[in-house]
Amino acid sequence: MRTTAIIHLNRFKKNINSVKTRIGKNRLICVPVKADAYGHGAVQIAKAGLEAGASCFGVATVAEGLALKKGGIKAPILLFSQPNPDEIRQIVSAGLIPFVSDAEFVSILNDYAKTAKKKLSVHIKIDTGMGRIGCAAKEAPELARQIVKSKWLKLTGTATHLAVSDSTNKRDIDYTKKQIACFQKAVKAIRAAGIDPGLVHAANSGAVILHPDAWFDMVRPGILLYGYKSVTEHEAPPDQLKKLAKYKSLAVEPVMELSSTVVLIKKIKKGGSVSYGRTWTAETDTLIAVLSVGYADGLPRLASNKWQVLIGGKLYPLVGRISMDQCCVNLGKKTKVNRWDEAAVFGSPNNDAAALAKITGTIPYEITCNINKRVPRVYK
Ligand SMILES: *Cc1c(COP(=O)(O)O)cnc(C)c1O
């Protein structure tokens, strides 16, 4: 095939196992499968997740939740983002579990659930310092009380989200600790009001690696389960280094491999140029492989003249601009590469999406999410 995203489900399951081993068997794993599982394919990832012991899933939109239901996923589905009022009917009928941040939304949900005569589970979302959705920590007990009093609602969880849990900078570590402490206090206040907060959860990937205090009842690591640790290391305080080393030793492998084909090999003479803008010219006579993959597939154009692809176990540089549907690779004067050979554009240990993200000024999340719909996902 022209270009495919090979999804290594065995690696995904191994990554789940690494996280399970790390957090202990009494904690649950919620797999974030928003944005089509970061580009990997939500239904397939959810099925593999269930086989490996995941207990629920997280989506950003109602449509994503409905697609999972339609794909046969019976496990609970958390709705991480704030939906619009015109989507509530579907939330109730599908039984998605929304995060709630405020009294108005709780009351709208209760009205709809009453009309549908269907009890709806919700999780309280507390803003402990992310500054996005969520209620203020001191409002949490009152919101919990309102939910408990709402006849058609059931409080089954309490959550927060961490802003800098993936950083080893001292200021960021302190900020995360403050968020965790604020969350603990709010959960305690809910309990003190005689209310069961349900599943308590906070940890994204960064916190699974660096902040055991944030693990609570359930963790929600996304990028980590897709194979990237994505921890930014700087100014790690010496007293933290040993702890960091332990948590950083957690082993995960990239799940997505973008694979393309050498569709043509051609000679370019010394002084000849390659692709739009003539940004690369050959210093000597050389062989150029044309690959059938471009920025419309999700290979960032910013990687032009900066990236290396793996063919037959060897890395070769991309030369000239990446165009919409094609790019070119310099094979050198002589080569063992053959026409129709497979090329790993990214996702092998030698050229993972984190490295590609680094040279293009982004994060691995954006690389895998941006692999376009026209690229078939092939599950292994
Ligand atoms: C996306 C998301 C996560 C996962 O974040 P990662 O950085 O990929 O681990 C966890 N929780 C919420 C609420 C999210 O939106």
Side-chain angles (χ1 to χ4, degrees):
M1 265 198 277
R2 176 190 171 267
T3 293
T4 58
I6 301 168
I7 308 300
H8 296 277
L9 291 175
N10 54 332
R11 293 187 196 163
F12 177 68
K13 291 181 180 177
K14 274 206 316 215
N15 296 345
I16 289 195
N17 273 315
S18 293
V19 168
K20 258 191 356 205
T21 307
R22 182 56 51 98
I23 63 174
K25 41 177 189 303
N26 292 330
R27 291 192 176 88
L28 305 179
I29 296 177
C30 167
V31 182
V33 293
K34 57 198 186 189
D36 206 19
Y38 296 34
H40 295 68
V43 172
Q44 312 276 353
I45 284 289
K47 285 183 175 160
L50 287 172
E51 284 168 21
S55 64
C56 67
F57 302 98
V59 296
T61 71
V62 175
E64 288 174 353
L66 298 180
L68 280 184
K69 292 275 181 195
K70 205 170 156 208
I73 302 302
K74 302 256 183 331
I77 298 168
L78 305 183
L79 184 58
F80 286 164
S81 302
Q82 172 65 48
N84 277 34
D86 63 2
E87 298 173 301
I88 295 177
R89 201 186 306 275
Q90 289 175 307
I91 294 175
V92 172
S93 67
L96 303 180
I97 303 171
F99 278 2
V100 295
S101 309
D102 66 286
E104 183 192 5
F105 186 57
V106 166
S107 123
I108 300 176
L109 283 176
N110 189 54
D111 290 348
Y112 272 88
K114 184 178 170 188
T115 308
K117 295 199 171 52
K118 200 165 170 229
K119 205 145 179 175
L120 184 72
S121 263
V122 302
H123 286 201
I124 292 182
K125 178 75 182 290
I126 305 175
D127 179 11
T128 58
M130 179 70 178
R132 228 165 46 179
I133 59 167
C135 65
K138 65 173 186 334
E139 294 164 7
E142 187 48 44
L143 196 60
R145 213 170 284 128
Q146 188 195 353
I147 294 166
V148 171
K149 278 202 240 152
S150 302
K151 209 173 146 212
W152 295 92
L153 301 182
K154 200 162 52 182
L155 179 61
T156 55
T158 300
T160 193
H161 197 43
L162 303 168
V164 284
S165 65
D166 56 356
S167 165
T168 64
N169 176 306
K170 168 133 175 47
R171 240 183 49 206
D172 294 338
I173 288 177
D174 289 346
Y175 192 83
T176 304
K177 284 182 175 163
K178 246 175 62 187
Q179 279 199 271
I180 296 168
C182 172
F183 184 55
Q184 278 168 326
K185 205 174 137 191
V187 171
K188 214 171 143 189
I190 293 173
R191 290 205 171 103
I195 298 167
D196 178 2
L199 278 178
V200 176
H201 52 109
N204 51 5
S205 296
V208 166
I209 302 170
L210 299 176
H211 295 278
D213 289 350
W215 294 349
F216 300 103
D217 300 329
M218 179 166 83
V219 299
R220 310 185 304 262
I223 199 68
L224 184 62
L225 295 179
Y226 300 113
Y228 294 96
K229 292 211 260 191
S230 194
V231 167
T232 53
E233 296 168 52
H234 35 210
E235 305 167 32
D239 62 316
Q240 293 278 338
L241 282 177
K242 227 171 115 184
K243 195 172 119 196
L244 295 188
K246 175 159 187 271
Y247 293 111
K248 277 162 54 191
S249 67
L250 194 144
V252 290
E253 288 176 69
V255 176
M256 180 191 287
E257 178 185 333
L258 186 65
S259 171
S260 193
T261 312
V262 174
V263 290
L264 187 68
I265 296 178
K266 64 178 344 164
K267 282 185 187 146
I268 293 272
K269 284 223 174 308
K270 178 180 172 179
S273 64
V274 165
S275 192
Y276 292 118
R278 307 188 63 223
T279 59
W280 185 85
T281 38
E283 281 171 11
T284 56
D285 293 1
T286 191
L287 294 166
I288 294 289
V290 180
L291 303 185
S292 242
V293 58
Y295 62 76
D297 299 291
L299 177 62
R301 186 172 171 278
L302 284 172
S304 299
N305 291 306
K306 288 183 182 170
W307 187 237
Q308 299 199 305
V309 302
L310 195 72
I311 310 173
K314 223 183 128 192
L315 288 168
Y316 297 92
L318 285 185
V319 292
R321 280 208 187 127
I322 293 166
S323 49
M324 188 181 288
D325 316 298
Q326 302 174 42
C327 63
C328 296
V329 170
N330 188 7
L331 299 173
K333 254 190 154 49
K334 263 172 58 184
T335 187
K336 287 188 177 140
V337 173
N338 295 304
R339 190 180 193 183
W340 316 121
D341 277 358
E342 236 178 70
V345 180
F346 72 76
S348 81
N350 292 326
N351 67 347
D352 68 20
L356 179 55
K358 201 164 183 181
I359 61 156
T360 55
T362 184
I363 50 177
Y365 303 69
E366 196 179 31
I367 300 288
T368 63
C369 281
N370 277 354
I371 297 309
N372 197 278
K373 283 259 180 298
R374 85 172 179 194
V375 178
R377 271 61 172 173
V378 177
Y379 295 89
K380 286 209 170 146

